[in-house]
Amino acid sequence: AAGVIQSPRHLIKEKRETATLKCYPIPRHDTVYWYQQGPGQDPQFLISFYEKMQSDKGSIPDRFSAQQFSDYHSELNMSSLELGDSALYFCASRTTGGKEEQYFGPGTRLTVT
Amino acid sequence: GESVGLHLPTLSVQEGDNSIINCAYSNSASDYFIWYKQESGKGPQFIIDIRSNMDKRQGQRVTVLLNKTVKHLSLQIAATQPGDSAVYFCADPPNSNSGYALNFGKGTSLLVTP
């Protein structure tokens, strides 16, 4: 069965650089969530989209932005990277009206040096 | 703020024993809970869920118990296997208005020894 696809899987950036993470949800899933997981931490919700509109906002820094496109894939744009942004970034998807269960992708490991 | 959290950060069990992972929540309005398993380097994987109108729900080798009186839930894994070694999170979506964004509790690392 198709799963959530995230790219790239690993990314190394320097401080003050920008990064773009991509997420391709499971086909026919219309809702996408982004989570950040620091080392040894639980995942923290950043932002979510439903039908290309932002549906909820969590602890996403102002330096980050995201959007969902017409094909339902989503991109997380991160600017002025800081050392503390080093983390695993997960994307999850679900279909509204279905079960509440979210299906997580394998994550993108971002390292800021 | 409202939180979902776990009592113990690590749990070590012998292969074949039963495991019990606990979780406390503070939002008495929470009506839906999910357990996720996260293996090293992978995304969280759904295990089982339970609604607040239930006290118990069983899956394959797993059982979730919900005690609304003390705002506590537990995940029981029967006949624990090495493949069960992972970090386990309980999570609750605050409400449907939030689009079901998950509020994760602190994970418990389960280590299964032979």
Side-chain angles (χ1 to χ4, degrees):
Chain A
V4 176
I5 297 172
Q6 290 187 247
S7 68
R9 293 295 311 278
H10 302 273
L11 189 58
I12 299 175
K13 291 285 186 178
E14 293 186 357
K15 282 173 55 179
R16 292 178 289 277
E17 286 191 321
T18 61
T20 297
L21 309 186
K22 297 184 179 183
C23 169
Y24 297 87
I26 292 172
R28 292 182 294 280
H29 281 195
D30 51 17
T31 305
V32 168
Y33 306 82
W34 286 97
Y35 295 86
Q36 177 193 58
Q37 186 177 30
Q41 303 295 314
D42 54 294
Q44 293 290 320
F45 169 66
L46 294 178
I47 195 168
S48 62
F49 292 87
Y50 165 64
E51 285 290 344
K52 292 151 282 184
M53 298 287 289
Q54 180 182 308
S55 59
D56 195 20
K57 199 171 183 179
S59 53
I60 184 169
D62 292 340
R63 298 177 290 109
F64 294 5
S65 65
Q67 57 183 325
Q68 185 180 31
F69 295 86
S70 58
D71 63 351
Y72 295 104
H73 93 272
S74 178
E75 295 183 2
L76 177 66
N77 300 295
M78 312 160 73
S79 62
S80 302
L81 287 169
E82 302 173 356
L83 295 178
D85 296 329
S86 295
L88 269 169
Y89 290 83
F90 291 105
C91 172
S93 73
R94 64 180 283 266
T95 178
T96 304
K99 292 184 63 175
E100 292 89 345
E101 178 184 350
Q102 296 177 25
Y103 295 83
F104 282 78
T108 294
R109 182 173 293 281
L110 173 65
T111 302
V112 182
T113 62
Chain B
E2 302 290 2
S3 65
V4 178
L6 292 160
H7 291 307
L8 297 173
T10 59
L11 178 64
S12 182
V13 298
Q14 281 200 308
E15 182 177 357
D17 287 352
N18 296 333
S19 302
I20 299 177
I21 301 172
N22 296 305
C23 180
Y25 63 95
S26 58
N27 183 4
S28 56
S30 294
D31 60 0
Y32 179 63
F33 304 89
I34 312 170
W35 282 98
Y36 277 89
K37 170 186 180 184
Q38 186 177 24
E39 296 175 82
S40 180
K42 296 183 179 180
Q45 179 184 7
F46 173 90
I47 302 174
I48 191 168
D49 58 2
I50 188 168
R51 295 197 176 277
S52 60
N53 61 352
M54 304 171 69
D55 296 324
K56 178 180 179 179
R57 189 164 189 219
Q58 287 185 295
Q60 188 176 20
R61 284 201 306 118
V62 295
T63 300
V64 56
L65 300 178
L66 175 61
N67 186 330
K68 295 179 286 293
T69 302
V70 295
K71 291 185 283 189
H72 177 273
L73 66 160
S74 65
L75 176 71
Q76 301 179 1
I77 304 174
T80 313
Q81 302 169 0
D84 295 326
S85 292
V87 177
Y88 290 81
F89 294 96
C90 60
D92 69 326
N95 53 64
S96 60
N97 292 330
S98 74
Y100 293 103
L102 295 172
N103 174 35
F104 282 89
K106 297 300 180 199
T108 290
S109 177
L110 176 65
L111 177 63
V112 182
T113 58

